């Protein structure tokens, strides 16, 4: 029984990870791709870890530490990537609607410091 | 580097409590990862985690904001609950975008007002925002976050704060101030 439940969790996690990959391919620009990758892969990872925890209950605490690690580092890496992309002027999708960060940077350049 | 003022503050009654709590946390992580209670492993773990805790508590003021009260513990639990609900909602949203026949979004970077003052609180808020529906923190300034939003609903910093940050800010404010 626990094998079945664990497998279902791992399957659900794999589905989210697959969606993250599909999102990477389908989204229009770098930033939206980072978004798709971050969110779906975080939940996918956690579900896979939960599934493993059901398989091997004695690993539970180690898996919990891994889950916290993923939760803390995943947003950080996506933030670093998107910030670097913006800093070197990676183009945004044509449907982009507003860019407050660019406005602020332009303001900073216009004003002599 | 901490200034003289801050150094004065570091030698406060709160220091030993902060040191003890950080030591305990690191030591627990060590035990969990080793999954062993053999005497040499426990002793080495205690030494290493004490050294790390000492360095971090003396070097940075970050740990001073964390209050260890029952109230903070309650809000931490509530925050974890809110966080997981938002995480699942974000993923369902993302699946809708990804599997839609035509991706119909209006992305953009908006400015969001920020109320939290403490660095750890801001870090937690920024990380939470990165994992919730269609938003990703790009940059932080004194009083505002710059957020890449997958589907921009408003460009007003205050309204955006209510939509994006409000659910977390309430609890994080209680924990970190």
């Amino acid at each position: 029984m626990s094998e079945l439940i664990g497998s279902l969790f791992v399957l659900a996690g794999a589905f989210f990870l697959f969606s993250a990959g599909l999102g990477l391919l389908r989204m229009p620009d770098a930033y939206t791709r980072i978004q798709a990758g971050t969110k779906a892969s975080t939940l996918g990872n956690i579900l896979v870890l939960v599934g493993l925890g059901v398989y091997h209950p004695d690993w539970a605490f180690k898996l919990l530490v891994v889950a916290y690690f993923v939760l803390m580092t995943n947003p950080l890496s996506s933030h670093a990537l998107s910030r670097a992309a913006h800093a070197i002027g990676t183009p945004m999708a044509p449907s982009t609607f507003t860019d407050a960060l660019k406005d602020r940077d332009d303001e900073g350049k216009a004003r002599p410091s | 580097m901490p200034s003289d003022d801050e150094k004065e503050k570091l030698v406060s009654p709160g220091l030993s409590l902060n040191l003890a709590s950080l030591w305990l946390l690191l030591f627990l992580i060590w035990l969990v990862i080793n999954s062993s209670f053999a005497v040499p492993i426990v002793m080495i773990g205690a030494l290493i985690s004490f050294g790390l805790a000492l360095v971090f508590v003396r070097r940075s003021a970050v740990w001073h904001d964390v209050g260890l009260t029952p109230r903070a513990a309650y809000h931490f639990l509530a925050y974890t609950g809110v966080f997981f609900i938002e995480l699942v909602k974000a993923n369902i949203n993302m699946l809708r975008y990804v599997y839609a026949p035509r991706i119909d979004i209006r992305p953009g970077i908006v400015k969001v007002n920020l109320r939290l003052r403490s660095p750890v609180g801001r870090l937690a808020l920024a990380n939470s925002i990165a994992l919730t529906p269609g938003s990703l923190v790009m940059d932080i300034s004194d009083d505002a976050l710059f957020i890449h939003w997958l589907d921009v609903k408003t460009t007003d910093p205050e309204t955006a704060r209510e939509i994006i940050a409000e659910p977390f800010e309430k609890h994080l404010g209680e924990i970190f101030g």
Side-chain angles (χ1 to χ4, degrees), chain B residues 3-167:
Chain B
S3 67
D4 283 352
D5 268 15
E6 278 168 309
K7 267 181 195 153
E8 287 291 319
K9 215 173 70 183
L10 289 186
V11 193
S12 62
L15 180 62
S16 52
L17 185 63
N18 279 312
L19 178 65
S21 57
L22 185 58
W23 182 16
L24 194 67
L25 179 70
L26 292 174
F27 188 51
L28 277 179
I29 292 175
W30 171 277
L31 287 183
V32 165
I33 289 177
N34 274 292
S35 310
S36 152
F37 291 102
V39 176
I41 289 180
V42 172
M43 279 177 63
I44 293 173
L47 273 180
I48 293 180
S49 52
F50 181 75
L52 283 176
L54 198 64
V55 168
F56 276 101
V57 168
R58 293 188 60 169
R59 276 301 170 98
S60 96
V62 160
W63 292 100
H64 294 238
D65 305 321
V66 187
L68 288 171
T69 59
R71 198 175 154 72
Y74 160 73
H75 279 283
F76 183 74
L77 280 182
Y79 161 73
T80 313
V82 170
F83 175 77
F84 273 102
I85 291 170
E86 291 288 325
L87 180 62
V88 171
K89 258 165 56 186
N91 276 278
I92 290 167
N93 252 333
M94 192 51 82
L95 289 188
R96 271 224 316 267
Y97 290 133
V98 168
Y99 289 108
R102 211 176 124 262
I103 295 184
D104 190 17
I105 50 176
R106 293 191 335 149
I109 297 176
V110 295
K111 193 175 168 183
V112 176
N113 285 346
L114 187 62
R115 278 194 186 161
L116 297 175
R117 288 282 139 229
S118 86
V120 183
R122 288 180 164 191
L123 174 69
L125 180 67
N127 270 7
S128 318
I129 285 174
L131 291 171
T132 54
S135 45
L136 175 65
V137 175
M138 303 278 294
D139 203 353
I140 186 166
S141 67
D142 285 339
D143 58 347
L145 286 169
F146 291 89
I147 289 179
H148 182 269
W149 208 348
L150 212 52
D151 206 0
V152 175
K153 293 193 186 69
T154 169
T155 52
D156 175 50
E158 194 54 35
T159 326
R161 185 190 71 78
E162 275 162 25
I163 296 177
I164 294 183
E166 185 75 40

Side-chain angles (χ1 to χ4, degrees), chain A residues 19 26 35 40 79 83 97-98 100, chain B residues 91 98-101 107 109 137 148:
Chain A
S19 311
R26 289 201 65 198
Q35 290 229 27
H79 161 70
R83 195 185 152 141
F97 171 68
T98 167
Chain B
N91 276 278
V98 168
Y99 289 108
I109 297 176
V137 175
H148 182 269

Side-chain angles (χ1 to χ4, degrees), chain A residues 42-61:
Chain A
T42 310
L43 188 61
N45 265 324
I46 289 175
L47 283 174
V48 170
L49 292 174
V50 169
L52 278 178
V54 176
Y55 261 114
H56 299 277
D58 46 329
W59 292 0
F61 284 109

